[in-house]
């Protein structure tokens, strides 16, 4: 049944407004022209909400790209952020970010659309609109009206945006709901457009809608990189060597402050005196340095990269795998997890994958042996159903958590090992984790947000299934790689967010198209999607679908912005690269830039540049 459409006036007398909805059907979508005429005699402030009522919603599944996926937050997650929960309607529930309805401002979303599948095998529906209009920022929301007669689900678009029941600002303290309004003068007419999209019962049908929106909106958001790929690679390599590399003892410091004089001690107390073995520092980005050094003949960079990898592999955990994090004050220890002595599969799996690549690149048999030993140890812990575990005890090797899909990070390294037994382990794991891909609910990859849904889950899955396809040529793995890529791309902005004049991001004309929302919990833009540049290019070649290559190139163009070109550029030093771009009100005011350079941010840019250069030369 096609959803019933209605338009409501918020915070004003509805009898003073004439509202008409004119629907024009097109292929798989209906364009709805909304015309609002204010007939009141006095000026007033109000908002207009267009709602689609979806009947027979027994078990609705929602998606707002980059922002909300299904329930969105597992009930036991140790970090609070918005969660969908039927029946959660009181203030106590809202104080814990639990609700049966949510409304958000559009700049929190990678694409301006909200999806619903009502359950019971029924087809789904979506509402889209421009991310902003002349009345202000648009809002997107959904609700389960299970106490209504008859019960139904709702999708809504609000002009201008409202947030309800609370506003999320990145921490456990709810903020007051956002309320914005348009100022209507007597006789004023407002014309707006909303599009209703018809979907199949397969949740993955979102990919078709998102491609349509990308084609429409990206045309209005031209890419504007500050430099070419070769120059970006050189700057990122310089930044890693100049600012993040510490030869004593041979580490890549995770963060360094833009302002080196903030403490009077050359910024050192601001810098994070730590290094993860993978993920936010360590082996993957040392490998990127090594790639650049081999291509350019940069001997000091090669020596630094080699020392970092040597340091990461010199000491292993008592259970036989690599460690999680090194701290200057205490040495190697566990990952960022609430599980005591836990080592995180995503971090270790990614580190092992790039360790093996580094060993092949420069012919280091000892690195290759360390990578293989780690893979054999983890393979021995695999459950019969294929699960490789998410958190492993550093001393005993006991799997402390089997939850989430972060174990996929081992799959790429296992598949790339060139060993039949390890490939069999990888295939069992790939088959097990496929359920997360088909459910469109990959989650748990980064250490810092527990089991949240994140963009990094998509990257990990894509890299895993491309590696399986590369090793076997099996169509099953190629299809899962394609689905994983589309999931990752749900976090990728298809439009440019507008920033207030005077903010840093406005002053430098930062284009958000191609950037990824980090996660449903960490609502800022980041560049980690560059880690799978190689895999997106491989996927494009394997499927004959140029869209994947274009999206990889789009992201590489996006993050060739805000690479410091000289000392003092946007208050940074030459070669520094930030982690966070604040495109919405979360953690910091919209339009700000985090004034820390991150090793992974420069490293992932360098890696993607080297992958792009290699692909162009192939």
């Amino acid at each position: 049944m096609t959803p019933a459409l209605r338009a409501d006036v918020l915070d004003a007398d509805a009898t003073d407004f004439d509202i008409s909805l004119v629907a024009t059907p097109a292929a798989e979508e209906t364009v709805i022209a909304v015309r609002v005429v204010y007939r009141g005699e006095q000026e007033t402030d109000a908002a207009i909400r267009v709602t689609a009522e979806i009947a027979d919603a027994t078990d609705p599944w929602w998606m707002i790209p980059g922002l909300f996926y299904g329930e969105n937050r597992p009930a036991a997650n140790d970090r609070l952020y918005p969660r969908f929960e039927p029946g959660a309607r009181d203030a106590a529930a809202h104080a814990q970010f639990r609700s049966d309805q949510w409304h958000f401002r559009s700049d929190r979303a990678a694409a301006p659309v909200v999806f619903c599948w009502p359950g019971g095998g029924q087809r789904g529906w979506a509402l889209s609109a421009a991310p902003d209009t002349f009345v202000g920022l648009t809002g997107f929301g959904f609700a389960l009206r299970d106490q209504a007669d008859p019960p139904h689900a709702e999708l809504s678009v609000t002009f201008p945006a409202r947030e309800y029941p609370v506003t999320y600002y990145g921490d456990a303290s709810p903020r007051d709901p956002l309320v914005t309004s348009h100022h209507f003068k007597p006789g004023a007419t407002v014309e707006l457009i909303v599009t209703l999209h018809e979907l199949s019962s397969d949740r993955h049908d979102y990919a078709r809608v998102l491609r349509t929106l990308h084609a429409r909106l990206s045309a209005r958001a031209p890419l504007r990189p500050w430099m070419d790929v070769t120059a970006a690679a050189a700057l990122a390599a310089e930044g890693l060597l100049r600012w993040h590399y510490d030869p004593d003892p041979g580490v890549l410091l995770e963060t360094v402050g833009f302002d080196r004089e903030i403490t009077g001690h050359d910024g050192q107390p601001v810098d994070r005196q730590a290094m993860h073995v993978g993920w936010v520092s360590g082996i993957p980005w040392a490998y990127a340095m090594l790639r650049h050094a081999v291509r350019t003949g940069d001997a000091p960079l090669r020596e630094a990269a080699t020392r970092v990898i040597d340091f990461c592999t010199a000491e292993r955990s008592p259970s036989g795998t690599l460690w999680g994090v090194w701290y200057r004050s205490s040495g190697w220890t566990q990952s960022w997890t609430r599980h005591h002595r836990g080592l995180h599969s995503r971090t270790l799996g990614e580190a092992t994958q790039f360790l093996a690549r580094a060993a092949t690149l420069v012919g280091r048999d000892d690195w290759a042996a360390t990578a293989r030993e780690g893979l054999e140890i983890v393979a021995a812990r695999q459950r019969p159903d294929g699960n490789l575990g998410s958190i492993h005890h550093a001393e005993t090797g006991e799997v402390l958590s089997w939850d989430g899909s972060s174990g996929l990070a081992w799959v790429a390294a296992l598949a790339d090992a060139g060993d039949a037994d390890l490939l069999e382990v990888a295939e069992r794991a790939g088959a097990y984790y496929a359920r997360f891909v088909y459910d469109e609910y990959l989650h748990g990859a980064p250490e810092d947000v527990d089991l949240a849904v994140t963009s990094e889950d998509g990257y990990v899955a894509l890299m895993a299934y491309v590696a399986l396809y590369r090793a076997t040529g099996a169509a099953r793995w190629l299809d899962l790689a394609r689905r994983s890529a589309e999931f990752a791309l749900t976090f990728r902005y298809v439009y440019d967010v507008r920033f207030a004049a005077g903010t840093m991001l406005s002053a430098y004309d930062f284009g958000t198209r191609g950037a990824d929302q980090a996660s449903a919990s960490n609502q800022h833009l980041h560049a980690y999607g560059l880690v799978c540049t190689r895999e997106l290019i491989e996927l494009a070649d394997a499927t004959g679908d140029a869209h994947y290559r274009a999206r990889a190139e789009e992201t590489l163009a996006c993050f060739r912005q805000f690479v410091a070109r000289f000392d003092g550029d946007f208050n940074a030093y030459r070669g520094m690269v930030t982690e966070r771009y604040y495109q919405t009100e979360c953690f910091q005011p919209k339009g700000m830039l985090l004034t820390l350079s991150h090793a992974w941010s420069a490293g992932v840019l360098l890696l993607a540049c080297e992958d792009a250069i290699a692909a162009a030369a192939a």
Side-chain angles (χ1 to χ4, degrees):
M1 181 183 297
T2 301
L5 295 168
R6 72 171 193 269
D8 299 303
V9 177
L10 307 183
D11 297 341
D13 186 349
T15 61
D16 288 335
F17 290 81
D18 292 337
I19 304 179
S20 64
L21 302 178
V22 177
T24 303
E28 299 178 320
E29 65 181 32
T30 300
V31 178
I32 303 150
V34 184
R35 190 170 189 268
V36 182
V37 181
Y38 178 53
R39 303 297 188 188
E41 297 180 354
Q42 303 295 325
E43 296 182 7
T44 192
D45 294 324
I48 306 299
R49 175 167 292 166
V50 178
T51 300
E53 293 186 3
I54 303 173
D56 301 322
T58 58
D59 184 22
W61 195 91
W62 321 99
M63 186 174 77
I64 302 176
L67 177 61
F68 215 100
Y69 297 78
E71 66 179 358
N72 204 47
R73 170 170 61 89
N77 203 73
D78 66 3
R79 184 167 180 167
L80 294 181
Y81 57 94
R83 165 179 165 80
F84 169 71
E85 188 174 302
R89 302 183 183 94
D90 58 28
H94 296 165
Q96 296 179 332
F97 294 105
R98 297 184 292 114
S99 180
D100 60 1
Q101 66 172 310
W102 286 99
H103 299 267
F104 301 100
R105 49 192 289 160
S106 63
D107 55 11
R108 297 188 190 276
V113 61
V114 55
F115 295 85
C116 176
W117 282 263
Q122 299 181 76
R123 62 183 175 180
W125 300 90
L127 277 182
S128 68
D132 54 59
T133 69
F134 71 96
V135 305
L137 203 62
T138 305
F140 293 87
F142 58 82
L144 175 62
R145 307 298 188 190
D146 55 359
Q147 293 184 320
D149 185 18
H152 61 273
E154 293 180 351
L155 298 179
S156 64
V157 181
T158 308
F159 305 95
R162 300 287 175 99
E163 295 205 305
Y164 183 85
V166 294
T167 289
Y168 175 65
Y169 198 72
D171 56 33
S173 299
R175 297 336 192 244
D176 290 338
L178 172 72
V179 177
T180 60
S181 300
H182 178 63
H183 188 70
F184 286 87
K185 294 183 179 181
T189 298
V190 171
E191 295 182 340
L192 303 160
I193 297 292
V194 175
T195 302
L196 176 69
H197 305 264
E198 183 177 354
L199 307 165
S200 74
S201 59
D202 182 357
R203 293 175 190 168
H204 195 70
D205 202 25
Y206 68 73
R208 173 181 55 82
V209 174
L210 292 186
R211 287 198 183 205
T212 296
L213 294 178
H214 176 266
R216 290 174 182 169
L217 296 172
S218 64
R220 308 172 206 165
L223 298 171
R224 39 195 183 274
W226 294 4
M227 62 204 70
D228 63 25
V229 172
T230 302
L235 281 172
E238 179 180 338
L240 284 164
L241 183 62
R242 180 182 178 189
W243 299 111
H244 292 276
Y245 176 62
D246 188 338
D248 182 19
V251 296
L252 289 177
L253 296 181
E254 292 182 357
T255 69
V256 296
F258 282 8
D259 190 340
R260 309 306 298 158
E261 293 301 315
I262 195 168
T263 63
H265 299 284
D266 194 30
Q268 292 179 13
V270 176
D271 302 340
R272 187 187 299 169
Q273 302 294 311
M275 177 181 69
H276 273 70
V277 72
W279 185 41
V280 293
S281 190
I283 293 173
W285 321 127
Y287 165 73
M289 294 165 66
L290 202 56
R291 285 270 301 278
H292 185 77
V294 168
R295 180 175 65 81
T296 62
D298 188 329
L301 187 69
R302 179 168 181 156
E303 179 184 358
T306 301
R307 288 195 62 184
V308 170
I309 298 175
D310 279 340
F311 185 76
C312 289
T313 56
E315 180 180 340
R316 279 178 267 177
S317 73
S319 67
T321 67
L322 297 171
W323 274 107
V325 190
W326 170 87
Y327 295 97
R328 191 179 298 279
S329 59
S330 55
W332 288 105
T333 187
Q334 71 174 77
S335 302
W336 292 347
T337 170
R338 56 189 167 88
H339 294 279
H340 180 62
R341 304 304 286 162
L343 299 175
H344 201 281
S345 279
R346 155 67 184 298
T347 303
L348 269 61
E350 186 176 81
T352 303
Q353 178 184 12
F354 283 98
L355 174 61
R357 289 184 179 181
T360 300
L361 179 67
V362 295
R364 284 288 298 265
D365 292 341
D366 54 337
W367 292 351
T370 298
R372 183 178 179 84
E373 288 167 14
L375 292 175
E376 290 173 344
I377 287 168
V378 170
R381 300 173 187 170
Q382 187 177 43
R383 270 190 344 200
D385 64 1
N387 192 326
L388 288 167
S390 298
I391 310 291
H392 300 248
H393 195 284
E395 276 75 34
T396 67
E398 176 190 0
V399 177
L400 302 175
S401 172
W402 299 96
D403 297 333
S405 55
S406 65
L408 267 172
W410 290 109
V411 171
L414 288 161
D416 283 347
D419 177 271
D421 291 337
L422 293 181
L423 179 58
E424 184 178 342
V425 173
E427 291 196 270
R428 282 200 302 270
Y432 173 81
Y433 291 111
R435 68 196 68 189
F436 293 88
V437 180
Y438 291 128
D439 286 345
E440 308 295 343
Y441 198 68
L442 291 153
H443 64 291
E447 297 181 6
D448 60 339
V449 292
D450 197 19
L451 292 174
V453 183
T454 78
S455 58
E456 297 175 52
D457 290 285
Y459 315 148
V460 168
L462 170 61
M463 295 170 76
Y465 289 113
V466 166
L468 280 170
Y469 176 71
R470 189 189 304 128
T472 67
R476 178 187 186 186
W477 305 132
L478 182 62
D479 180 63
L480 283 161
R482 178 189 59 78
R483 283 177 170 263
S484 299
E486 299 287 1
F487 179 86
L489 292 175
T490 66
F491 291 85
R492 191 154 295 178
Y493 274 59
V494 301
Y495 65 99
D496 279 348
V497 172
R498 295 184 186 180
F499 297 101
T503 62
M504 178 72 79
L505 297 184
S506 172
Y508 283 82
D509 193 29
F510 177 63
T512 60
R513 173 190 161 199
D516 290 345
Q517 175 110 291
S519 70
S521 177
N522 285 353
Q523 295 173 15
H524 62 80
L525 300 183
H526 75 169
Y528 215 112
L530 292 171
V531 73
C532 55
T533 298
R534 168 183 169 178
E535 285 74 15
L536 281 172
I537 293 172
E538 283 189 54
L539 184 61
D541 292 341
T543 61
D545 188 345
H547 180 74
Y548 300 115
R549 180 184 293 268
R551 298 303 293 275
E553 292 171 348
E554 177 184 75
T555 300
L556 184 53
C558 175
F559 291 107
R560 298 201 313 272
Q561 302 173 99
F562 279 105
V563 185
R565 298 158 291 188
F566 50 86
D567 291 348
D569 197 4
F570 58 89
N571 212 41
Y573 282 81
R574 180 179 166 91
M576 287 186 171
V577 184
T578 187
E579 174 202 17
R580 294 184 176 187
Y581 307 81
Y582 297 108
Q583 87 293 358
T584 190
E585 295 289 326
C586 190
F587 301 113
Q588 294 276 40
K590 178 179 178 177
M592 289 186 69
L593 187 77
L594 181 66
T595 55
L596 293 174
S597 181
H598 276 61
W600 75 257
S601 299
V604 78
L605 174 62
L606 179 57
L607 176 69
C609 287
E610 293 301 322
D611 284 340
I613 291 168

